[in-house]
Amino acid sequence: MAVFMVSPNEAKRLRPKLSAGLIFVIGMIVVYLAQLGLNMVLTQDAYHLAELKSQKRDLNTQVQIIQEEVDSLASPQNLADAANRLGMVANPASVLLDLQKDKVYGQPKPADPSNAPLASANLVANSALGTTSDFSETTVASLETVSVETPENPAGEVVLTVIPASPTR
Amino acid sequence: MGSQQSVNRRFGFFILITLGLVGLLGIRLVDFQVVQAAEIREKSMERRSVTQTLTALRGEIRDNSGQILARTVFRYDVNVAPKNVAPVIRYSEDGTRTEIPVEQITTELAKLLGIPAAEIAPKLVGDSQYANLAKRVDAETYSAIRELRVPWVYFDRFADRLYPNGAVAGNLIGFVGADGEPLAGLERQYNTCLAGVDGQETYERSAEGVRIPASSVVTQPIQDGGNLKLTIDANLQFFAQQVLADSVNDLSADWASAIVMEAKTGKIIVAAEAPSVDPNDPSASKAQDRGSRIFQSAFEPGSVMKALTVAMVLDTGTADENDKVKAPYSLKLDFPGGSVQDSFGHATYYLTLGGVLRYSSNTATVQFGRQIPKEVRYEYLKKFGFGKQSALRFEGESSGILHPVDEWDKMTNFTTLFGQGISVTGIQMASAYQAIANKGVKLDPVLVEGCLHEDGKVTMQPKQSSVRVLSEAKAKNTLELMEKVVEFGGVGRNAAIPGYRVGGKTGTAQIQEGSGYGRRFAISFYGVAPIEDPQYIVGVTIFRPVGETNSMKTTPVFKAIMQQVLKHYRVPPSTTKSRDIPSGAFGEVEKRN
């Protein structure tokens, strides 16, 4: 390698142009800014993703809570208990209507509470029974009182204005 | 030019030093990037990367209509880090800052967890990072505790098993242990269907614990378990269990069981037992009540066997429905000291096969049955399915006891005709009746319809084999004779169901205790309806009821269950009447009322 001595004029001519330097520096700044922006967006998205995931987990938990309630309400133990509380009695005498042949099979007989095939108390254990139906004869009776007052029902038939939903406890 | 040389030398020196530094950096670079590369990468990954197990969900168990009998849910252990316990800062809606003292948080936690605050308080003291407050809390409690936003409370989530219908079919389903391992029943037998394969993923996270985008790699894909579909009808199963539990309480019996089987398919609709086990809490039941006696307990069936003997007599052509035998109360057998008696004292009868079933006469059964060589009878018993496990291969299933024919002693030769000297399981007896009800063809019983996978594939469908035991005509004839039990039998008539033609057989079996028989019985009723086109078999057994010396108490149970089944499946009542077949004490045809 050799080092040359040059005249001031030549040196002036050889000096790098200011515009090239400016372009270089501005270019660098732009690249850095772009990178920074990209990073910020990515990081923001990561936080957003984390938040959405936590939301999803919360919703899944909600689904599970509701599912367990539905399971419990739909269990035969709860249904049998609720039916008993409403004073319903299973009627073993089956009567079938054949719509095509216009025939009735079987002898219709009213259910006899003293001769019901099922024990009124629940004998099949279920420790998962957390949520139970809350209707009873009294809650349904209160619905009847409302409906009996309806004038367009002169026959005195009981029409429930609302389906006795299942208030849970 | 001396100054030019000195500049050149200094410049060369500078270049040399620069090159040296660059060289050193280069060496370091190679060292980091090549020589130690693997080690460093590993260290850095260790610091940033997290490996997470993706828990596969265990599949559901469903009944024949899709009702869920077992599902997987998440439960949570609630833990605290005592080291970090401090008052909690809460902001109200208007931005007011309140500091909630630890005591108040303790009270709030206690209320949600349902444990006294005094129990929680000591756990919050200390220097450790971990103390457990409660195990296995449900999602509702978990959610409520999270709402409290206490930074030093944290949770461990894990999958757990929930049986929403409790003890309904509990004896069949079985249960899983606290660690999720299946311990009994179908949960265990079909674990390959139900258990999934856990997955695994690795991702990198930042210093704040936030997952770095696009850094996660699933190293092992997750595969959820399949859903097991049973032939059981949960509603009927509940009904039957309820009726049986009532009966066990009423009679102070050891246990009772009931099977409902579809005559034409061999599908088990109900396999109910009392006492039963609630798989949510198996420890609440006695160890002996946690399995399924229908499959696992063999006992001498007693007179329910006579229907099969009558079928053999008819099928071999030994006698027909009009042939009579002399049936005294007690009959001497062809070896010294050998005799059989009927269960009730009576003058000498002349009984047809219909009479045999109706009066459940041991002496008449022996007289008809002994005309068939014992080898032939043994073959029939084998074809009916006795002496071996059913095709279901239920966990711990008993094969019962059917001794090889060359081991039958003089007494066994006769007693097998009326259900002694042979022991059977409930499923075997129900299957034998299924053969009679299904035109003489015995089908393998079915309990599991298959395993449904996520991708819609169905596996583990049973391969059902069938075997003809009786001719169609003789099977039908046997049913007609069984109908006489329900029409005229002293006990049997209590099993009658208004509107339907029902046939069946009672059984009051002695139970071996020590070397002899005890004073309590196994009482049974196995029946079929409707006789003109058999749809269902119902078999009821009550084991060791107190003070019952006949099978009277099984008939209301049979009737209730059969009636419910017929109603549930909309079986139209019979439109035909039974045929007049002799079944009286002197071989006469009796008038129906």
Side-chain angles (χ1 to χ4, degrees):
Chain A
M1 179 182 274
V3 175
F4 301 98
M5 300 293 284
V6 289
S7 68
N9 272 349
E10 275 175 319
K12 210 173 185 179
R13 195 165 46 81
L14 286 171
R15 192 186 292 162
K17 284 207 177 85
L18 183 68
S19 59
L22 267 178
I23 289 173
F24 179 73
V25 169
I26 290 172
M28 288 290 277
I29 290 173
V30 167
V31 167
Y32 274 117
L33 282 180
Q35 202 189 355
L36 190 70
L38 206 64
N39 263 342
M40 274 166 64
V41 171
L42 276 179
T43 320
Q44 272 313 307
D45 278 354
Y47 280 98
H48 189 53
L49 187 70
E51 196 191 306
L52 287 178
K53 282 204 167 149
S54 122
Q55 250 182 47
K56 184 182 162 196
R57 194 188 51 203
D58 287 351
L59 290 174
N60 276 337
T61 311
Q62 285 305 314
V63 168
Q64 192 191 319
I65 294 172
I66 294 164
Q67 186 67 61
E68 279 186 50
E69 273 182 24
V70 172
D71 279 346
S72 185
L73 288 169
S75 71
Q77 286 92 339
N78 175 56
L79 295 177
D81 275 348
N84 273 330
R85 278 202 302 276
L86 289 174
M88 293 167 93
V89 178
N91 189 348
S94 49
V95 176
L96 300 178
L97 308 175
D98 188 333
L99 297 179
Q100 261 134 34
K101 294 183 193 154
D102 203 15
K103 262 176 102 172
V104 178
Y105 294 100
Q107 296 283 321
K109 256 193 286 181
D112 176 6
S114 66
N115 204 12
L118 267 192
S120 53
N122 202 342
L123 302 172
V124 182
N126 187 357
S127 61
L129 201 65
T131 314
T132 52
S133 306
D134 212 12
F135 46 65
S136 64
E137 280 185 88
T138 29
T139 53
V140 174
S142 65
L143 293 168
E144 282 172 20
T145 339
V146 177
S147 58
V148 167
E149 287 162 8
T150 324
E152 60 265 37
N153 186 16
E157 277 171 13
V158 178
V159 174
L160 300 181
T161 48
V162 270
I163 297 168
S166 192
T168 57
R169 60 175 156 81
Chain B
M1 290 307 281
S3 69
Q4 175 73 40
Q5 255 180 5
S6 132
V7 167
N8 275 354
R9 200 170 51 240
R10 268 185 290 162
F11 200 75
F13 187 64
F14 170 73
I15 297 274
L16 209 68
I17 288 180
T18 311
L19 280 178
L21 281 175
V22 168
L24 272 177
L25 281 174
I27 290 168
R28 203 77 181 114
L29 189 69
V30 171
D31 185 34
F32 281 146
Q33 288 286 329
V34 181
V35 182
Q36 295 188 44
E39 198 182 321
I40 291 172
R41 198 178 309 134
E42 207 169 291
K43 261 191 198 159
S44 99
M45 277 304 276
E46 252 171 48
R47 204 163 296 171
R48 283 175 301 145
S49 82
V50 185
T51 302
Q52 195 180 21
T53 305
L54 306 167
T55 316
L57 293 182
R58 193 174 173 80
E60 294 168 349
I61 300 180
R62 299 177 182 164
D63 83 342
N64 64 2
S65 63
Q67 201 170 327
I68 289 166
L69 300 173
R71 77 154 81 244
T72 295
V73 291
F74 289 101
R75 293 284 178 257
Y76 305 83
D77 284 351
V78 184
N79 307 314
V80 288
K83 196 179 175 185
N84 304 338
V85 168
V88 174
I89 312 295
R90 278 183 199 157
Y91 293 92
S92 60
E93 274 174 29
D94 56 8
T96 340
R97 180 179 186 278
T98 353
E99 194 175 283
I100 314 289
V102 174
E103 290 71 33
Q104 191 186 328
I105 299 288
T106 312
T107 325
E108 288 174 358
L109 285 172
K111 207 171 139 198
L112 290 172
L113 291 171
I115 47 178
E119 225 172 272
I120 293 182
K123 292 183 181 165
L124 305 184
V125 188
D127 254 348
S128 79
Q129 289 286 1
Y130 171 85
N132 178 264
L133 290 188
K135 289 198 182 295
R136 297 165 66 98
V137 304
D138 61 15
E140 203 169 350
T141 315
Y142 157 77
S143 198
I145 295 176
R146 267 173 60 90
E147 291 286 297
L148 298 179
R149 295 183 188 283
V150 182
W152 35 270
V153 169
Y154 61 99
F155 304 89
D156 280 335
R157 185 177 93 141
F158 57 93
D160 195 15
R161 214 61 174 143
L162 177 76
Y163 305 89
N165 293 351
V168 175
N171 302 70
L172 298 173
I173 295 169
F175 42 86
V176 299
D179 54 357
E181 274 301 300
L183 297 180
L186 297 173
E187 286 272 28
R188 195 160 116 150
Q189 191 182 352
Y190 285 90
N191 193 41
T192 43
C193 164
L194 294 164
V197 181
D198 281 355
Q200 215 172 46
E201 71 167 349
T202 310
Y203 63 86
E204 292 167 38
R205 67 176 170 195
S206 68
E208 304 95 68
V210 173
R211 181 187 286 235
I212 294 174
S215 69
S216 70
V217 180
V218 175
T219 45
Q220 161 95 46
I222 192 167
Q223 207 183 320
D224 283 339
N227 296 329
L228 195 67
K229 192 176 182 209
L230 308 185
T231 57
I232 295 292
D233 183 303
N235 294 331
L236 283 175
Q237 175 83 20
F238 169 76
F239 181 91
Q241 283 186 223
Q242 185 87 347
V243 172
L244 290 178
D246 201 13
S247 179
V248 165
N249 290 347
D250 197 29
L251 303 174
S252 308
D254 283 8
W255 53 264
S257 71
I259 312 178
V260 179
M261 200 185 255
E262 253 179 35
K264 291 169 185 175
T265 62
K267 284 183 184 172
I268 300 169
I269 306 296
V270 169
E273 315 198 15
S276 51
V277 58
D278 180 356
N280 295 303
D281 184 15
S283 60
S285 303
K286 289 187 202 141
Q288 68 265 31
D289 296 335
R290 292 179 204 157
S292 174
R293 291 189 165 99
I294 287 174
F295 297 95
Q296 294 162 338
S297 288
F299 55 93
E300 294 194 6
S303 302
V304 285
M305 188 59 102
K306 284 176 188 154
L308 309 185
T309 302
V310 165
M312 292 178 211
V313 171
L314 289 169
D315 198 55
T316 50
T318 308
D320 66 25
E321 62 184 27
N322 296 312
D323 291 334
K324 279 176 261 187
V325 291
K326 188 174 168 186
Y329 161 65
S330 179
L331 179 73
K332 278 207 163 25
L333 298 173
D334 55 358
F335 58 94
S339 72
V340 288
Q341 282 83 37
D342 281 345
S343 61
F344 60 101
H346 60 82
T348 299
Y349 287 163
Y350 292 85
L351 296 179
T352 58
L353 287 169
V356 165
L357 295 181
R358 170 183 165 181
Y359 291 103
S360 198
S361 162
N362 295 333
T363 59
T365 306
V366 168
Q367 309 239 55
F368 275 115
R370 69 177 167 194
Q371 299 174 47
I372 312 171
K374 61 179 181 182
E375 292 76 15
V376 176
R377 285 190 271 126
Y378 176 71
E379 284 306 313
Y380 269 104
L381 290 175
K382 279 212 304 198
K383 272 205 249 175
F384 272 123
F386 299 114
K388 60 168 192 276
Q389 287 183 339
S390 75
L392 297 173
R393 300 271 184 277
F394 193 83
E395 282 269 318
E397 183 172 338
S398 161
S399 42
I401 301 170
L402 172 62
H403 294 293
V405 67
D406 48 9
E407 287 175 21
W408 288 10
D409 61 21
K410 286 175 184 153
M411 199 61 201
T412 309
N413 182 22
F414 296 106
T415 54
T416 46
L417 292 164
F418 49 86
Q420 282 183 9
I422 175 174
S423 76
V424 309
T425 59
I427 186 67
Q428 284 174 342
M429 192 48 91
S431 281
Y433 272 66
Q434 182 271 329
I436 301 176
N438 185 37
K439 301 176 177 178
V441 177
K442 181 182 169 292
L443 300 170
D444 284 340
V446 183
L447 183 58
V448 170
E449 287 190 0
C451 176
L452 284 68
H453 296 272
E454 257 179 319
D455 54 7
K457 256 200 333 215
V458 182
T459 58
M460 296 186 176
Q461 280 165 309
K463 291 181 198 79
Q464 198 179 32
S465 64
S466 64
V467 56
R468 176 164 288 286
V469 186
L470 308 166
S471 72
E472 186 175 340
K474 302 302 177 184
K476 183 175 179 237
N477 204 185
T478 309
L479 283 174
E480 289 172 327
L481 298 180
M482 282 159 60
E483 194 176 4
K484 298 299 162 200
V485 175
V486 179
E487 273 182 317
F488 301 115
V491 170
R493 72 179 69 192
N494 298 294
I497 297 171
Y500 293 91
R501 289 177 59 190
V502 180
K505 184 66 193 88
T506 55
T508 310
Q510 291 172 295
I511 299 168
Q512 271 192 331
E513 273 172 29
S515 58
Y517 285 104
R519 290 171 62 194
R520 281 159 78 180
F521 298 88
I523 60 176
S524 304
F525 193 92
Y526 277 74
V528 177
I531 292 298
E532 72 278 12
D533 180 21
Q535 300 289 337
Y536 296 99
I537 293 106
V538 173
V540 176
T541 298
I542 303 175
F543 202 73
R544 300 186 78 231
V546 171
E548 296 299 324
T549 54
N550 63 39
S551 54
M552 187 69 96
K553 295 287 185 183
T554 57
T555 50
V557 176
F558 168 86
K559 181 179 167 177
I561 295 174
M562 183 61 104
Q563 210 162 18
Q564 184 73 11
V565 170
L566 294 171
K567 187 171 74 171
H568 189 79
Y569 287 109
R570 310 279 189 273
V571 178
S574 304
T575 47
T576 54
K577 288 235 178 317
S578 69
R579 202 155 59 81
D580 281 333
I581 304 171
S583 70
F586 298 94
E588 76 279 19
V589 173
E590 256 178 283
K591 278 271 160 286
R592 263 183 263 103
N593 17 338

